[in-house]
Amino acid sequence: MSTRKVLKEMLENCLGAAYQQEIRNRYQRNVEKDVYGVEEREYDAGIAELTILFSQEKKAQLAEYEKTCSSLREYAARYGFLAGIYCGFKQYFTSAHEADGGFTKYVCDEIHRMPKMKRHREYYADIERRNSLAEAMETGSTKKTQYHIVSVECAWDQRSYSASIDGFYLGYHAAVAILEEIEPYSFPTLKLERNILCMEHRLGYIKTHETR
């Protein structure tokens, strides 16, 4: 087996079904804490209404839309993890100190914003497919129906964005764990403590005394 195939299988095993389930579990825990409660309640209400209001053709479009959005979330989780590893190593071996750990530059600008998202070809193709399905669902719909469609769209956007944050967070800490294994006497966690705390605060994992 070629090196490329071995590495591909390793990544698929590492960032496969179990990892994606953990990403979904983390999101669900935040929903239970009401972090994304509004989006998810609006989503549930939207799906319930669209199931009644939609024709069979539009129901099929909705099902395809959700499948495509699920693929986008999985990509965001995978890419976020890899970017997190990169940024963890970068901050350790250089003097770089981005307050959010590099999340904005290496994740947001790459997969959540134009024009760089175009370089992620399969991912961008899914974005275009998602957008065309949303347009098809909205065509000829009433304002009430469009409202529910937008509610579904907003929930999936939040799910993908959250997946990229959680993936980045886990990837960053994976880099620190590797450093601890290889160079334990250089005290990587202690060396990166300031960076880690800033990153976790900016990404919403910890709060200052004033914002609690």
Side-chain angles (χ1 to χ4, degrees), residues 89 170-184 188-189 192:
F89 285 133
L170 290 170
Y172 191 104
H173 279 283
V176 176
I178 291 169
L179 291 165
E180 288 282 3
E181 186 70 22
I182 304 302
E183 291 192 13
T189 300
L192 287 171

Side-chain angles (χ1 to χ4, degrees), residues 155-196:
W156 275 110
D157 283 346
Q158 184 58 65
R159 291 170 184 177
S160 288
Y161 188 72
S162 174
S164 67
I165 290 176
D166 285 334
F168 182 86
Y169 173 85
L170 290 170
Y172 191 104
H173 279 283
V176 176
I178 291 169
L179 291 165
E180 288 282 3
E181 186 70 22
I182 304 302
E183 291 192 13
Y185 301 114
S186 66
F187 305 105
T189 300
L190 185 61
K191 180 179 177 180
L192 287 171
E193 183 177 32
R194 177 171 174 262
N195 301 64
I196 293 170

Side-chain angles (χ1 to χ4, degrees), residues 15-24 73-75 77-78:
L15 305 177
Y19 169 73
Q20 295 294 344
Q21 185 59 53
E22 174 59 24
I23 293 294
R24 291 191 292 271
R73 176 170 63 180
E74 290 183 359
Y75 186 91
R78 288 195 301 272

Side-chain angles (χ1 to χ4, degrees), residues 70-95:
S70 180
S71 294
L72 289 169
R73 176 170 63 180
E74 290 183 359
Y75 186 91
R78 288 195 301 272
Y79 186 81
F81 185 88
L82 297 175
I85 289 180
Y86 172 82
C87 289
F89 285 133
K90 180 185 178 185
Q91 292 200 333
Y92 181 77
F93 288 111
T94 71
S95 59

Side-chain angles (χ1 to χ4, degrees), residues 50 53 137-151:
L50 294 176
L53 297 170
M137 288 190 292
E138 290 174 12
T139 300
S141 296
T142 64
K143 287 185 177 180
K144 177 183 177 181
T145 302
Q146 288 178 0
Y147 175 86
H148 292 305
I149 293 170
V150 170
S151 294

